[in-house]
Amino acid sequence: MTGARSSTPGGVPVPIDMAPTTAAAGVTAVRFRSVHKSFGAVRVLRGIDLEVPTGQRLAIIGPSGSGKTTILRLAMTLERPDSGTIEIEGELLGQKRVGDRLVPDDERHLRQVRGKIGMVFQHFNLFPHMTALQNVMLGPVNALGLTRAEARTRGLELLHVVGLEDKADVHPRKLSGGQQQRVAIARALAMRPRIMLFDEVTSALDPELVGEVLTVIRNLAHETAMTMLIVTHEMKFAADISDRVIFMDEGVIVEDAPSSVLFTNPAHERTRAFLRAVLER
Amino acid sequence: MTFDVDYAIRILPTLLNATVVTFQATIWGMTFAVVGGLVLAILRMSRFRPVSATAGFYIEFIRSTPLLTQLFFLFYILPLYGLALSAFVTGVLALGLHYSSYTAEVYRAGITGVPRGQWEAATTLNLGPLQTWRLIILPQAIPPVIPALGNYLVSMFKDTPLLATITVLELLGTALTEAGLSFRYLEPITIVGAIFLALSLPSALLVRGLERRFATR
Ligand SMILES: Nc1ncnc2c1ncn2[C@@H]1O[C@H](COP(=O)(O)OP(=O)(O)OP(=O)(O)O)[C@@H](O)[C@H]1O
Ligand SMILES: [Mg+2]
């Protein structure tokens, strides 16, 4: 939980106004219906059915190559399903219905649906030619149409939330991995997503920098009602933060249970073996 | 035949004036190549196959035919189809078209050097394709290829004498005209060589400097 001494991210309230909540709690934020995805001959997802209610914190765990990242990338429209559909708050993602056929969505509607989703990557993917603040302001100015002044205010506020307002004018290469990842989280939050996707956001970090990033996400979970899909290898973090866990193996959801159940009393042998293996490490 | 210094000094002003034309041809040609090459590179990388294939074919075609042929083609064939441009404009056009197929490949190297994660981050921020190119990709793709573009600028400068073959009175063309009047070739051609050397050498050094500057990013 150390790292950036200048200002620790712990305990800062999160002044994040969520986009207007038209969807009542209990509505499905993300729904996968028999989604299949292959890369060449590799069948990465073999029929995923998944329903994530609004506000849920879903942890996705499983061995390497089981398809966890692919699920998030599909929800972010970075990949397209080979078959099956994905809905975000009841609207088809990347597809539209014409008669009884599904065709690729038009750009305008696609962007409208995609605007509800934010993603944080394992390798941060900050824009190296921009300062931290410029990274955070970019989306609001260019995709949401905020004025620079508005975006700046929002950006500084979010850098404060992640404990980095004093690094606003610093370029990513001058930041530690943990700091870069916190900027990336601020950048995603600046779009006011209703659903956040976290893909192993700490696994590229030195061990001593993991805590500061997890703290930021924990705070987000406490202070907001955002729906979160969290792929992680940090089992303790997953157990703390999530309401529900799915365990994936070889492209299918093997076990789907409340986190209190899955971590203490897994029903499937494969889940048990996986948990044993990761806890031994 | 000895070098006639008096004669050389007499024709020097004329040749220096002609150097201005050489400069203009290079600058306009390079402007064309810098912009045209970028457009070509982006078309070449289009996800829409007919567009990328056409751009790819065009680039290969231009690169595998000599500049002189392209120059003659534009100069002698275009007028047959009612497009009569001045010799200078034709020359600039040929230089620009020819070199844009080279700069296109330079840009392409720069663009493919931008990690895929940058495109993906742009998608998560809901940027459109044009915004992604303008704000994310090109600002990272172009600086590393500036030295390579600089090299082509120097090459193009050294190719401008070809324009003499289509009657453009640039440096070489003017020197040949002078030589035709006096029947002395030694002085005009030597001066042409000296002027090219005097201008190319510093440019090459400048490019070297750019390379060092952009290599250590
Ligand atoms: N773009 C791609 N092209 C080819 N194969 C891919 C591609 N993306 C993923 N794969 C393959 O798909 C499989 C599942 O990948 P995925 O990234 O979803 O797994 P994961 O569960 O996130 O694994 P990890 O824990 O290692 O991150 C892997 O075998 C991977 O090599
Ligand atoms: Mg992964």
Side-chain angles (χ1 to χ4, degrees):
Chain A
M1 217 129 324
T2 52
R5 291 281 166 199
S6 47
S7 46
T8 27
V12 180
V14 184
I16 296 168
D17 317 314
M18 304 269 298
T21 313
T22 45
V27 163
T28 301
V30 182
R31 186 199 296 268
F32 280 55
R33 289 184 210 259
S34 57
V35 170
H36 289 254
K37 179 73 188 173
S38 298
F39 293 108
V42 190
R43 293 174 62 202
V44 178
L45 296 181
R46 311 168 178 225
I48 297 294
D49 286 284
L50 178 65
E51 196 177 327
V52 186
T54 297
Q56 187 167 71
R57 281 65 197 271
L58 172 72
I60 305 175
I61 63 170
S64 183
S66 55
K68 308 179 296 293
T69 296
T70 306
I71 287 195
L72 298 192
R73 291 174 58 83
L74 284 161
M76 192 66 252
T77 68
L78 298 174
E79 308 282 357
R80 278 164 205 244
D82 297 337
S83 63
T85 57
I86 300 168
E87 285 163 34
I88 303 298
E89 294 185 347
E91 287 190 89
L92 276 173
L93 178 70
Q95 294 179 309
K96 65 181 173 192
R97 218 173 278 285
V98 175
D100 55 357
R101 287 193 323 133
L102 289 173
V103 298
D105 204 356
D106 56 272
E107 188 68 19
R108 206 166 138 261
H109 185 251
L110 170 65
R111 285 174 75 175
Q112 186 209 312
V113 179
R114 184 164 55 203
K116 298 179 177 184
I117 312 167
M119 181 164 180
V120 183
F121 298 92
Q122 185 174 353
H123 295 288
F124 332 135
N125 296 348
L126 289 179
F127 305 126
H129 57 299
M130 298 179 189
T131 64
L133 181 60
Q134 287 168 340
N135 266 275
V136 179
M137 287 171 61
L138 186 82
V141 169
N142 293 285
L144 302 181
L146 265 63
T147 65
R148 298 198 74 80
E150 290 164 338
R152 195 185 155 76
T153 308
R154 184 185 290 190
L156 288 171
E157 206 166 80
L158 286 167
L159 286 176
H160 176 68
V161 167
V162 300
L164 289 174
E165 70 270 47
D166 57 331
K167 302 287 184 193
D169 298 323
V170 175
H171 279 79
R173 67 175 167 281
K174 301 242 170 86
L175 297 174
S176 74
Q179 291 171 332
Q180 289 187 50
Q181 193 59 296
R182 282 145 64 195
V183 174
I185 292 171
R187 180 177 72 175
L189 291 174
M191 298 297 288
R192 304 240 165 117
R194 303 169 49 77
I195 301 160
M196 277 282 271
L197 313 174
F198 295 94
D199 187 15
E200 292 195 40
V201 293
T202 58
S203 47
L205 300 178
D206 292 336
E208 73 272 19
L209 302 180
V210 168
E212 63 189 64
V213 172
L214 295 187
T215 302
V216 165
I217 299 174
R218 278 201 182 90
N219 287 342
L220 274 181
H222 285 136
E223 309 277 339
T224 74
M226 246 181 288
T227 307
M228 296 183 179
L229 277 63
I230 304 162
V231 171
T232 183
H233 285 299
E234 303 275 340
M235 291 305 141
K236 181 163 179 339
F237 172 66
D240 286 355
I241 199 174
S242 64
D243 313 320
R244 172 184 170 197
V245 190
I246 58 177
F247 169 70
M248 295 194 55
D249 197 12
E250 298 185 346
V252 295
I253 298 173
V254 173
E255 186 160 353
D256 177 349
S259 55
S260 54
V261 174
L262 191 135
F263 286 111
T264 53
N265 191 15
H268 291 256
E269 176 47 35
R270 274 198 278 174
T271 316
R272 275 196 287 274
F274 172 76
L275 288 176
R276 228 180 294 124
V278 289
L279 293 178
E280 264 165 29
R281 264 191 288 133
Chain B
M1 196 171 200
T2 52
F3 194 90
D4 182 342
V5 177
D6 284 345
Y7 173 60
I9 289 172
R10 227 175 325 120
I11 61 170
L12 191 58
T14 313
L15 292 180
L16 286 177
N17 267 336
T19 311
V20 175
V21 178
T22 293
F23 256 127
Q24 284 169 338
T26 310
I27 286 167
W28 285 114
M30 197 61 194
T31 307
F32 189 129
V34 161
V35 177
L38 184 56
V39 173
L40 265 181
I42 293 174
L43 294 179
R44 174 90 178 80
M45 301 185 80
S46 165
R47 250 183 298 172
F48 187 54
R49 280 297 300 227
V51 170
S52 57
T54 308
F57 176 79
Y58 173 83
I59 291 170
E60 283 314 313
F61 177 77
I62 295 285
R63 282 162 65 105
S64 38
T65 51
L67 173 55
L68 190 57
T69 316
Q70 292 158 9
L71 199 57
F72 282 2
F73 185 88
L74 294 181
F75 190 64
Y76 293 109
I77 313 286
L78 282 189
L80 300 182
Y81 294 92
L83 199 61
L85 304 169
S86 75
F88 178 80
V89 172
T90 308
V92 165
L93 197 63
L95 286 173
L97 285 174
H98 185 78
Y99 274 89
S100 56
S101 69
Y102 286 89
T103 52
E105 292 296 283
V106 167
Y107 283 120
R108 192 155 78 104
I111 292 164
T112 46
V114 178
R116 197 172 63 147
Q118 295 289 306
W119 294 89
E120 296 182 344
T123 302
T124 68
L125 298 183
N126 230 344
L127 300 184
L130 277 177
Q131 291 174 321
T132 304
W133 278 108
R134 183 169 57 87
L135 301 168
I136 309 300
I137 305 305
L138 295 182
Q140 296 182 67
I142 292 178
V145 301
I146 286 175
L149 293 176
N151 274 326
Y152 281 121
L153 176 66
V154 177
S155 297
M156 182 187 285
F157 176 62
K158 291 187 294 183
D159 271 347
T160 51
L162 287 175
L163 303 200
T165 60
I166 59 164
T167 77
V168 177
L169 287 177
E170 45 62 71
L171 188 49
L172 182 68
T174 307
L176 291 174
T177 308
E178 282 297 330
L181 295 174
S182 64
F183 298 106
R184 293 192 67 94
Y185 282 83
L186 177 64
E187 294 81 3
I189 304 293
T190 307
I191 294 174
V192 169
I195 290 177
F196 268 104
L197 185 68
L199 292 172
S200 293
L201 212 56
S203 323
L205 290 176
L206 187 73
V207 171
R208 220 38 62 67
L210 286 176
E211 260 159 18
R212 262 196 303 281
R213 161 118 192 266
F214 286 105
T216 56
R217 277 187 357 123

